[in-house]
Structures are given as structure tokens and as C-alpha cells.
């Protein structure tokens, strides 16, 4: 089985409500065209199981489990309370934050921390209304993290009626102070607008969040450069932002940067390095990466040829709805022992996607 030039599929940044979606197409598995550097035609947007989404909302800046967001830097004003929070000692964090406020009724960092504890139900019973009250008190003291959290709560109607106008206002206030998650979420709202000024502002806010190492923003900026939306089309810039997002743990960016590496699109062609990115994303349960690394194992490109590994990754991808007749055919000649080993590996890998 030959391996065609790997490609991205149809990209679309659908607006708020439908979510912004990056869809990666599938390589055909046919022989590559004879013309050098010719890519396959764009594919149709794949079905839902094969889509990678730019989610509208990042978790709160204080969230210890914020996927795609780095933990906030320790705030010197939160001292023992914030330190306890970062170590997962939430009851202690609540107690210390309360002591801080008793000593200083204008301690915005402690107020925001109490808001977060109530918002997530950490160390206390979850109570969005109490969270909202504490965030409002902190925002009155110009705390940007509290403003960002209020924006997200207003957007979702948590602890208050849903209010998109108020959400945007809070996010704008926090973004003006450089709060990274506010910049990212505001950019997604602005991207929904058809006003040129909003598109320019969205790019600026994505960039501010990206420079603060928010992986989702780095990924989004890469998509914009790839599309030439709001910026001049620049595959080199796209590849650079995908790399930064990938190295910060963004799964979609890992796959996209691997495709750029394999094709030499915006970055020097390096099939072995591409294979490492594909393999890491596959091990994290991404069906697209599992399909791609299976193709590389069949062809022996970037990795040694290994039909057992190819079959195992193909089966793992198929368990997520990404079947591939070409890979099925390429691995059909395994003997019973090889097939058994591949199925055992696939069963283990299927758990990665759960």
C-alpha cells in the first residue's frame, strides 16, 4: 500500500453556538500523484467522531484541571491560601482565604479564590450563586481573574441568568488587563461577528492569549494563518503556532503539526519527527493520529515497517469509527499469531480513547 501526501481537510472556524471546528481529512491510501509536491484534493468534512473542536470556553484561570490551560502563576497576595489550593488542600485553602478577607476586606485574590472553590465545589458544596457573589466582590477590586470568571458564568447562565452582553463586557474588561483566558474566549465571540473590526480584534486577542502560552489560542492562531482569515495566509506561521500548541499539549495541534512535518508544508520535511508526533497523539487516543501512524508503519516511512503495529493502530482507530479499507487490506496477510498480538495491542489502545 502506498502512502499519499498527508493533508489537512476542509478547515472551518464555525462561530459561537456551533463551536469552532477544525476537521482533518483522511489520506486516501492511494499512490501519490506523479507531479512533485502535488497534494490531494480537499476532502469533505468528516463525520463527528473524526472532528477536533476548538471549544468555546476555557476553564476558569484558577482551575487545577484546566485542559489546554496552564495553571495560574502563584499570586503573592493569596499566599498560604493559594498555595494550599495548588496542592489540592481545598479545605485549608478555604480557611486561609477566609482569614485573609477577615484581615483585609479588600483582598481581591482571596475573594476570587473563594469564588473558585464555590464554583467548582472544592472543599465546600458547589454553589454557583455564592461563587458569583465572591467574583463580583473581587471584580469590584479590579481583579482580572474574577472578571474573566464572571464573563464565563454570564455566558453559560451559571449563578445568574444567561446574559451574553454582560459576558462580553466582563471578558472585555479582563482582556484589557491581559487576562489570557479572557482574551481567548473574547476572541471566539469576536470571531462570530462579520464586522472587520471584530475580526482584527479577535486576531489580536488570540495572539495575546497565544503569547501567554494558552495552547487553544496557539492552535486557533495556526488555523487563522492556514486559512488566511484576519491575517495574511502564511503556512510557516501556521506551522510555528501548531508546534507551540502541540508542545503545550494541544492534541489537535499535535496532529496538524505532524501533517505539516510529513508534507514539509511551512516547516522542513521530517518524516521521522512527524511520526513521533503522530505516535504521541495516537497514544493519547486520537483516532486520526492512530490512522496516520498505522499508514506510516505499513509504508515504513518515519518508522520501521511493522505490520503488527499497523494493524493494532488501525484496529484502535476503527474502534472509534475511523475504519480504513486500505489498511485492512494491507494488514490482511498477518498470520494468526500476529493477528492475535495486534488485537491484544488494539484492545489496550482502545482504552486510551475512553
Amino acid at each position: 500500500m502506498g502512502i499519499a501526501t498527508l493533508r489537512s481537510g476542509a478547515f472551518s472556524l464555525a462561530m459561537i453556538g456551533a463551536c469552532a471546528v477544525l476537521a482533518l481529512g483522511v489520506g486516501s491510501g492511494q499512490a501519490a500523484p506523479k507531479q512533485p509536491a502535488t497534494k490531494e484534493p480537499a476532502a469533505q468534512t468528516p463525520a463527528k467522531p473524526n472532528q477536533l473542536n476548538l471549544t468555546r470556553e476555557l476553564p476558569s484561570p484558577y482551575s487545577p484541571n484546566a485542559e489546554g490551560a496552564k495553571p495560574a502563576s502563584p499570586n503573592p497576595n493569596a499566599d498560604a491560601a493559594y498555595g494550599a489550593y495548588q496542592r489540592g488542600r481545598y479545605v485549608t485553602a478555604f480557611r486561609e482565604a477566609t482569614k485573609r478577607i477577615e484581615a483585609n476586606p479588600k483582598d481581591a485574590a482571596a475573594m476570587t479564590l473563594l469564588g473558585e472553590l464555590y464554583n467548582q465545589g472544592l472543599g465546600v458544596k458547589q454553589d454557583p450563586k455564592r461563587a458569583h457573589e465572591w467574583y463580583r466582590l473581587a471584580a469590584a477590586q479590579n481583579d482580572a481573574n474574577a472578571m474573566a470568571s464572571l464573563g464565563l458564568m454570564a455566558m453559560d447562565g451559571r449563578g445568574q441568568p444567561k446574559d451574553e452582553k454582560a459576558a462580553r463586557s466582563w471578558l472585555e474588561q479582563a482582556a484589557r488587563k491581559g487576562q489570557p483566558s479572557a482574551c481567548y474566549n473574547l476572541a471566539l465571540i469576536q470571531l462570530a461577528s462579520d464586522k472587520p473590526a471584530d475580526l482584527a480584534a479577535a486576531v489580536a486577542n488570540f495572539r495575546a492569549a497565544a503569547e501567554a502560552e494558552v495552547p487553544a489560542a496557539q492552535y486557533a492562531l495556526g488555523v487563522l494563518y492556514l486559512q488566511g482569515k484576519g491575517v495574511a495566509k502564511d503556512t510557516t506561521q501556521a506551522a510555528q503556532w501548531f508546534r507551540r500548541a502541540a508542545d503545550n499539549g494541544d492534541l489537535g495541534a499535535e496532529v496538524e503539526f505532524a501533517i505539516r512535518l510529513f508534507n514539509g508544508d511551512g516547516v522542513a520535511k521530517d518524516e521521522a519527527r512527524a511520526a513521533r508526533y503522530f505516535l504521541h497523539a495516537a497514544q493519547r487516543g486520537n483516532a486520526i493520529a492512530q490512522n496516520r501512524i498505522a499508514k506510516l508503519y505499513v509504508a515504513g516511512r518515519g518508522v520501521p515497517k511493522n505490520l503488527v503495529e499497523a494493524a493494532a493502530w488501525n484496529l484502535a482507530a476503527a474502534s472509534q469509527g475511523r475504519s480504513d479499507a486500505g489498511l485492512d487490506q494491507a494488514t490482511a496477510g498477518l498470520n494468526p499469531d500476529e493477528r492475535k498480538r495486534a488485537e491484544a495491542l488494539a484492545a489496550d489502545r482502545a482504552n486510551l480513547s475512553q
Side-chain angles (χ1 to χ4, degrees):
M1 177 178 112
I3 184 164
T5 302
L6 294 177
R7 53 167 168 75
S8 303
F11 282 89
S12 66
L13 281 172
M15 299 310 126
I16 305 301
C19 287
V21 175
L22 170 63
L24 296 172
V26 189
S28 68
Q30 302 301 316
K34 292 182 180 179
Q35 297 87 342
T38 299
K39 293 186 179 182
E40 300 171 26
Q44 296 296 317
T45 301
K48 283 185 178 180
N50 304 324
Q51 292 178 335
L52 298 175
N53 295 327
L54 277 176
T55 54
R56 175 181 59 75
E57 179 182 319
L58 279 181
S60 163
Y62 274 88
S63 176
N65 299 313
E67 183 180 350
K70 290 194 171 185
S73 298
N75 187 324
N77 295 321
D79 57 61
Y82 192 84
Y85 179 88
Q86 291 291 76
R87 294 191 298 274
R89 298 171 59 186
Y90 304 122
V91 173
T92 300
F94 184 90
R95 183 171 59 247
E96 293 296 330
T98 302
K99 286 166 59 177
R100 294 281 308 178
I101 294 169
E102 289 172 351
N104 177 12
K106 293 186 178 182
D107 190 330
M111 293 173 185
T112 302
L113 184 50
L114 285 179
E116 191 61 27
L117 293 171
Y118 277 115
N119 194 19
Q120 296 192 60
L122 300 173
V124 292
K125 183 178 179 180
Q126 190 172 36
D127 189 335
K129 289 186 177 180
R130 292 291 296 277
H132 184 266
E133 291 168 1
W134 281 115
Y135 287 143
R136 286 298 295 258
L137 289 170
Q141 302 298 321
N142 293 314
D143 187 278
N145 288 331
M147 293 173 182
S149 293
L150 284 169
L152 300 184
M153 293 188 84
M155 182 69 72
D156 291 337
R158 296 200 310 271
Q160 65 175 103
K162 188 172 183 178
D163 188 336
E164 293 186 5
K165 184 177 180 180
R168 179 162 181 162
S169 177
W170 282 120
L171 291 174
E172 286 173 341
Q173 292 181 63
R176 282 195 293 269
K177 293 178 176 293
Q179 209 286 333
S181 68
C183 290
Y184 171 78
N185 286 295
L186 178 60
L188 287 177
I189 293 173
Q190 292 165 330
L191 203 62
S193 171
D194 55 4
K195 297 178 182 178
D198 272 349
L199 177 57
V203 172
N205 279 315
F206 275 137
R207 192 178 302 280
E211 293 291 1
E213 301 299 333
V214 175
Q218 294 168 334
Y219 174 75
L221 202 54
V223 173
L224 293 180
Y225 272 112
L226 203 61
Q227 292 182 332
K229 185 179 180 66
V231 292
K233 188 172 183 177
D234 188 329
T235 56
T236 299
Q237 283 288 319
Q240 289 176 358
W241 284 113
F242 286 137
R243 179 194 58 76
R244 285 179 64 170
D247 291 349
N248 277 326
D250 187 281
L251 187 53
E254 275 195 290
V255 177
E256 185 56 37
F257 184 58
I259 291 172
R260 306 282 130 203
L261 281 168
F262 189 91
N263 291 335
D265 186 8
V267 64
K269 183 179 177 68
D270 189 332
E271 293 186 2
R273 189 179 176 201
R276 289 195 295 272
Y277 274 91
F278 278 133
L279 184 58
H280 188 258
Q283 290 167 342
R284 293 175 65 192
N286 182 275
I288 295 168
Q290 291 171 345
N291 173 269
R292 294 300 201 277
I293 196 64
K295 289 176 183 289
L296 297 187
Y297 274 119
V298 165
R301 293 179 64 174
V303 290
K305 185 172 182 177
N306 187 324
L307 293 184
V308 172
E309 282 291 327
W313 284 119
N314 180 41
L315 290 169
S319 72
Q320 298 191 69
R322 195 169 194 88
S323 58
D324 191 310
L327 284 170
D328 292 343
Q329 182 178 2
T331 58
L334 294 179
N335 63 43
D337 180 63
E338 290 171 330
R339 174 63 57 180
K340 185 176 180 180
R341 283 194 289 131
E343 289 173 350
L345 286 170
D348 288 339
R349 291 164 185 177
N351 295 327
L352 298 172
S353 61
Q354 297 176 2

